Structures are given as structure tokens and as C-alpha cells.
Amino acid sequence: MTLELPWSADRAIQQFGRTLRSNQVTAPEYVFLISELAGEQRFASIVAKRLESLGALTHGDRRATETRDLSRFNFDNKYGRNALEIVMKSIVNLDSPLVSPPCDFDRDFFKEIRNGLIGVGLINVEDRSGVLSLDKDYNNIGKFLNRILGMEVQQQNALFQYFSDTLSAVVQNAKKNGRYDMGILDLGSGDEKVKKFDVKKFLTPGYSTSGHVELYTVSVERGMSWEDATHVWAEQDGPDDGFYVQVQNNKKIEVNTKKRLFMVYRPNTGKQLKLEAYADIRKRCKKVLSDEAKQHWIDQYQSSAEICSHAYWRGNCKKASVGLQCEIGLRCRTYYVLCGSVLSVWTKVEGVLASVSGSNVKMQIVRLRTEDGQRIVGLIIPPNCVAPLTNILSSSDQSQQLAVQQQQMWQQLHPQSISNTVNT
């Protein structure tokens, strides 16, 4: 149990390493104890950022040293700085707020927080005019987390909650616009099953027969069958463990205010990454017997193979109605992955993606492992770009094959020149 995190990442690794032993039966699990005081998030934020930097240097991947417990504390990135800029500008009325202030703050939120930030020096007041202005480093995450420690406890907790909500909205908007940077996307991790359906090979220009790109069609299946769900349920013995069915409005039920976290499994998406508070579960769901839940579970498991969550719950989907593909809540998803000598055809891929999907499209690198153990690293191609890209690569492949045949014919006709070249 880590009571106090060290400032440097290498020292943190050194301390964690002292509890690891060779030939150990089970690896240790580290728990970080951080108080509910919002300002103390800065200690974890600094170490989280430096651990990610250490992973980028030693493994070529900033997520190499990332853990589920620590990675969520790293706010010092472009999304965090963008969210902090929105928060600070909305407090001094320079910009409209992206989200509403915390509902449990009983006083005038913006007035109280504005006074608190003036007290810690993040907002400046002109002596003569009384006009408010922001500090020059107003979007510095480290300085923000450090200064709010000087505010009242209720103020800093409310401000940090407002910042967290804004950050979630910023990330959500980036995902919706297709501009969210996920780094390398991992498929087939956890309980996901990756099946390879089809592969097309194309020769690339400027290389011999050894240089080529491959376009894989893979299916990623997640979700949990009723049989697997009953096996997981049989291992649980808590009074609140069991099956829950979603209802329209369940907010009148009183729940113990003590925050209890539960692992949630869904028929269409399987095991969820984040733990959910019991109070949040009871607001939208009611507990039922397994016999009552069985048919609901099987129906959603089977329909989610082809139907998104919008169509399943509401009866229609805006994207599907206009002919677009919606993957929200789908159990089976199809991906097209281009791998091999991708750099040799990079400009062609960029041209196809820009012409079909517009300028907002973002190149996404993916890493996956199929059921037969094959590892694939490549570039995700959107479904609407597969056909035009295949046509371009096919024409390039034909011209490249023709060039190879001509070279082989020339070698057969001039064997002496080849041997002289080898001797030279």
C-alpha cells in the first residue's frame, strides 16, 4: 500500500521493484492511497506523467509502464490543458462553460471559485479598474493543482470536479470528431477474440517481390454468453451481486451513500474496463432473478452481433438511417488493417482517406493478436475507404508485377552481364 508517492519515476520503479521477487507465485498488486482532497491529485499526476515518459523511453510506447490505477491521474496532456483553459476562461466570463457546475455545491459556484482563485493568485485583479485577468500560466496543470491546495476544501473539491467534468466533455468531443489520440489501439486484449477472415497482398513500388503490403479483414468479437455469465455469477456470494435489468427511471430508490464499486459485465460488450458505483447502478437498473434476466441477456447477446445499441434500445439509429455504420455497443466488429511496407504507399493511403472521409480523418495505428497466435501491427482503414484503396493498390500491384517480369526476362537474356556484376 503506497502511502506517499516519490517525485521521480525511476525512484518509484526502484521502490516497486523491492517487492518483486524471482520465482514468485503471484505478482504484487500496488494500491495508491490518495485522500479526497482534490489538490493531492497533483502528487499522483506528476508520477503518472513521468512513468509514461519512462515507458516511452525504454519500450517505445508511453503505455508500457501504465497501470489502471495510476494512468487516470495523468491530466498533463493536450486534453487536460484544453479543459483547464475552458474552465479558467468560463470562471472569468471570457468563454461559455462546456458543462454545468457541480450540483452539490450549494452556493454561487462561479462567484465563490472566482474569489478563491483570486486568493491563490491564478486570477489577477487590476488595482484601478478592478478588471479580472488570468495569470500568464493559467493553463499549466502542475501550477493549477499546486495552487488549489490553498483554497478551502469545499471550493477546491468542487473546482476539481468541474475540471474533471470539462475534461470528460473535451475527450468525448474529440472522440466524436475522430480526432482523439489513443496512441496504439490494442485489439484482442482481455476477453476479445480476433478472427482473420481475408488477406489481400499487393506489391509496393520501388521494391522487388519481397516488398508488399497486406490488407487484412479481421473480426473482433467481445461480449459474454449466458453460460459464461452464469459461471461468473456462481463465483460471487455478495448480497448485491447478481443480474440487473435496465429500467426507465429508478431514482427514487434510496441507496447507502457509502461508495461501493462493482465490476460490471454486459452481454454485448463483456467485462467493462471501469468499476461502477453501486449507487449509479441502482439509479438506472433493478435487481432481478437469474430466470428473469436470462431471456433479456440472450436477446441482447444475439442481436448485438449486427445491431447497435441505439437500434436495440430505441428502435432506430441516426447513423444507420442515412447508410452509415454505427459500432456503438456492437458485439462483433469488422476492421480492415493495412500492414507491411505501409510507408511506401503512405501518400496513396492519405489521398484516399482525405478524398473519401474528408480532412478530419485521423490515422489510427492498431496492434492485434489473432486466435491462431499471429501478431499484426498496421493501419486501420475505414470501411468506406477500402474499395477505392484496393483499386489503387491493385493497379500499382499490376504495374509492379509487370516490372518484375520484365526484369526477370532481361536477366534471362543477359546472364553474362549479371555474372560480371556479381564478380565486380
Side-chain angles (χ1 to χ4, degrees), residues 10-22:
D10 54 347
R11 188 168 295 179
I13 294 294
Q14 175 78 339
Q15 292 181 7
F16 296 158
R18 294 188 182 279
T19 53
L20 288 162
R21 289 291 174 264
S22 47

Side-chain angles (χ1 to χ4, degrees), residues 79 168-181:
Y79 304 109
S168 300
V170 167
V171 171
Q172 193 66 31
N173 289 340
K175 288 181 178 179
K176 190 180 295 184
N177 297 330
R179 306 298 298 171
Y180 182 66
D181 181 13

Side-chain angles (χ1 to χ4, degrees), residues 298-316:
I298 294 174
D299 289 344
Q300 188 173 7
Y301 178 80
Q302 292 176 347
S303 65
S304 60
E306 298 177 352
I307 300 176
C308 68
S309 294
H310 307 124
Y312 180 78
W313 291 108
R314 303 173 192 166
N316 64 340

Side-chain angles (χ1 to χ4, degrees), residues 73-92:
F73 294 116
N74 183 17
F75 314 107
D76 200 355
N77 48 45
K78 61 181 179 182
Y79 304 109
R81 289 187 287 272
N82 187 16
L84 181 56
E85 183 173 347
I86 295 171
V87 166
M88 297 298 290
K89 286 184 176 180
S90 65
I91 290 173
V92 295

